[in-house]
Amino acid sequence: METLAPTPEEQFQARIDADIRIEPKDWMPEAYRKTLIRQISQHAHSELVGMLPEGNWITRAPSLKRKSILLAKVQDEAGHGLYLYSAAETLGTSREQMLADLHSGKAKYSSIFNYPTLSWADMGCVGWLVDGAAILNQVPLCRTSYGPYARAMVRVCKEESFHQRQGFEIMQTLCEGAPAQKEMAQEALNRWWWPTLMMFGPKDSESPNTEQSMKWRIKRFTNDELRQKFVDMMVPQAEFLGLTVPDEKVKWNEERQAYDFGEVNWEEFWAVVKGNGLCNHERLQARVQAHEEGAWVREAALAHAGKRKARETVAA
Amino acid sequence: MNNSEWPLWEVFIRSKQGLDHKHVGSLHAADAAMAVQNARDVYTRRLEGVSIWVVESKHIHASNPDEAAEFFDPAADKVYRHPTFYDVPDSIKHM
């Protein structure tokens, strides 16, 4: 029998299996390209929208030190969005198209940012819990199969650990403060715990894309694996702070060497994904407004660059 | 898409004196001066560089990855270009 030459798909999978990174101009299946554009742009949008709940507290930070830190963190997030948009652009989509999809509601971003930041302790929880969860998601992405995405994630991860530490420090300061401050910390944890667990996405049994993404080594761990890791990491940290995780079912399981925990409210998860969270409307509106009101700046900069180039050409 | 999208620039950074500029990523900017300034804000917030180069992406020409095997083939069978190809007696020093 004649052996058939491997198809492009088979060659592609063989490279993936050998852990050879895929680069922008390499052949790739259309579905791989599409999956990556969706995932990377969604990730970029999350960084962009993620600036909004924290932006709320820049002018209200309790000290100049906290304000400087928060500004630096929000600036990092803009940078992370940019690294990721650039990575997605190498796949043939445009910045304008991605932003248009975000603004029309076609593209998603992490649902966590559709929850409000009501107290200063929320800045602690966003850093400690939300960025903590983000890091768990992102660290394996440093080894994802698409080169530009992996390289962007290396840079993001380096910067993200400061975000988590500053969040933990806010929580620690509150927990070591007056009873009212500790209460504020506990109240924020109560609100952020479950939404953070939702950040890892639907249960494996209800996540249709996971299998293919694992095969292509875009994802390295499943949603449930990462969620479990997160709980195992965070419960002792909450205990250290003297805070209680708002889940009665949290209990160390000696046999599994992991914490048991309760079921996420999936109804709430899907409601927020579908646009019915507390802040979906507000976040998107803020984004669209910023984009539209900035249009003249983008146009003016381009016109200015054009005029200057024309002057240089005449002079030369 | 309208024509208001700023062109794409590739960014190269020298992390310290004595080292090469290395590609770090890309960004959009209206002109070169803005590209350098944006590159500073995006890629050197933590003292990652002492010098920045930017070049408009459209000016970069690249080898074709589909032809990589043939293209780089001439170097594949010339092991004698490497010092390890040659046997040097143990008693010979400084070589």
Side-chain angles (χ1 to χ4, degrees):
Chain A
M1 213 172 80
E2 207 179 334
T3 40
L4 292 168
T7 63
E9 281 83 2
E10 285 164 349
Q11 286 178 27
F12 177 83
Q13 190 60 49
R15 296 184 67 183
I16 297 272
D17 294 342
D19 254 335
I20 296 171
R21 295 281 182 276
I22 306 302
E23 294 295 343
K25 292 190 172 174
D26 295 344
W27 186 89
M28 60 185 85
E30 251 339 275
Y32 177 82
R33 184 186 300 277
K34 273 197 182 144
T35 301
L36 275 172
I37 290 177
R38 181 173 49 80
Q39 182 173 331
I40 302 173
S41 65
Q42 193 170 314
H43 198 157
H45 297 330
S46 302
E47 297 286 353
L48 213 60
V49 177
M51 293 192 281
L52 298 169
E54 290 177 311
N56 180 41
W57 282 93
I58 290 176
T59 53
R60 300 176 173 87
S63 69
L64 184 58
K65 176 187 137 190
R66 295 290 184 201
K67 184 174 178 163
S68 307
I69 292 172
L70 195 53
L71 268 171
K73 180 175 191 290
V74 171
Q75 197 192 7
D76 273 355
E77 271 140 22
H80 296 176
L82 188 128
Y83 305 152
L84 290 159
Y85 282 126
S86 299
E89 281 173 275
T90 64
L91 290 158
T93 182
S94 73
R95 185 77 55 96
E96 287 216 321
Q97 183 61 52
M98 286 186 276
L99 289 177
D101 288 347
L102 169 65
H103 296 156
S104 72
K106 187 181 160 209
K108 301 282 179 223
Y109 55 87
S110 178
S111 281
I112 194 73
F113 303 118
N114 289 319
Y115 289 84
T117 45
L118 303 176
S119 78
W120 173 250
D122 288 24
M123 291 303 95
C125 280
V126 167
W128 172 47
L129 295 176
V130 175
D131 291 326
I135 290 171
L136 270 184
N137 262 322
Q138 289 167 352
V139 167
L141 287 174
C142 296
R143 293 186 296 123
T144 197
S145 58
Y146 186 58
Y149 191 22
R151 293 192 286 275
M153 291 319 302
V154 169
R155 215 168 289 125
V156 169
C157 286
K158 269 188 197 162
E159 302 182 350
E160 201 77 49
S161 64
F162 130 64
H163 295 185
Q164 197 195 10
R165 283 182 186 203
Q166 68 85 38
F168 185 80
E169 195 197 62
I170 290 174
M171 296 304 279
Q172 198 183 351
T173 307
L174 290 172
C175 290
E176 288 167 358
Q181 286 176 299
K182 185 155 186 188
E183 211 173 290
M184 190 198 276
Q186 180 64 56
E187 191 271 336
L189 173 59
N190 292 348
R191 279 183 291 110
W192 287 97
W193 177 255
W194 289 106
T196 310
L197 290 192
M198 295 176 198
M199 283 175 69
F200 297 99
K203 281 192 283 198
D204 292 351
S205 55
E206 281 159 35
S207 175
N209 300 327
T210 294
E211 198 190 334
Q212 182 62 66
S213 285
M214 299 278 283
K215 199 174 157 220
W216 278 332
R217 300 201 182 170
I218 295 174
K219 274 176 100 155
R220 297 270 181 167
F221 296 98
T222 71
N223 298 351
D224 286 337
E225 282 168 352
L226 290 171
R227 198 169 3 250
Q228 178 71 56
K229 266 194 188 185
F230 179 78
V231 172
D232 292 345
M233 214 170 83
M234 286 302 169
V235 170
Q237 293 184 13
E239 277 169 10
F240 174 91
L241 292 169
L243 298 175
T244 312
V245 167
D247 177 359
E248 287 169 1
K249 294 203 171 119
V250 163
K251 197 170 165 250
W252 178 251
N253 184 324
E254 192 59 37
E255 199 181 318
R256 287 201 308 126
Q257 285 294 301
Y259 284 93
D260 291 335
F261 58 100
E263 187 75 14
V264 167
N265 180 348
W266 295 110
E267 231 168 90
E268 177 183 326
F269 171 80
W270 289 113
V272 183
V273 169
K274 286 180 180 137
N276 301 318
L278 285 167
C279 300
N280 293 58
H281 184 69
E282 187 186 329
R283 299 292 186 237
L284 216 50
Q285 200 181 22
R287 268 308 314 154
V288 171
Q289 191 186 344
H291 191 69
E292 285 175 356
E293 289 179 359
W296 73 270
V297 179
R298 293 192 296 277
E299 284 160 20
L302 211 54
H304 177 68
K307 274 187 187 170
R308 201 155 64 176
K309 205 172 183 181
R311 262 203 311 273
E312 279 164 13
T313 318
V314 171
Chain B
M1 292 294 106
N2 61 43
N3 57 3
S4 68
E5 179 141 284
W6 292 345
L8 190 66
W9 301 75
E10 299 301 321
V11 181
F12 300 81
I13 290 184
R14 185 201 295 286
S15 57
K16 66 178 199 183
Q17 291 297 109
L19 295 182
D20 293 326
H21 284 78
K22 196 177 155 206
H23 184 244
V24 293
S26 57
L27 49 76
H28 288 271
D31 59 20
M34 189 197 269
V36 169
Q37 213 157 51
N38 286 356
R40 178 203 61 187
D41 292 343
V42 175
Y43 292 107
T44 65
R45 285 195 303 282
R46 290 174 175 78
L47 297 173
E48 289 96 336
V50 294
S51 167
I52 295 173
W53 287 351
V54 294
V55 58
E56 242 190 285
S57 308
K58 67 178 182 193
H59 295 310
I60 294 196
H61 301 267
S63 62
N64 182 352
D66 295 336
E67 291 161 9
E70 306 92 285
F71 191 69
F72 294 105
D73 177 67
D77 59 355
K78 297 181 178 61
V79 284
Y80 46 83
R81 281 179 171 158
H82 298 275
T84 45
F85 177 74
Y86 302 91
D87 281 329
V88 177
D90 288 345
S91 58
I92 297 294
K93 305 291 176 202
H94 309 297
M95 191 176 281

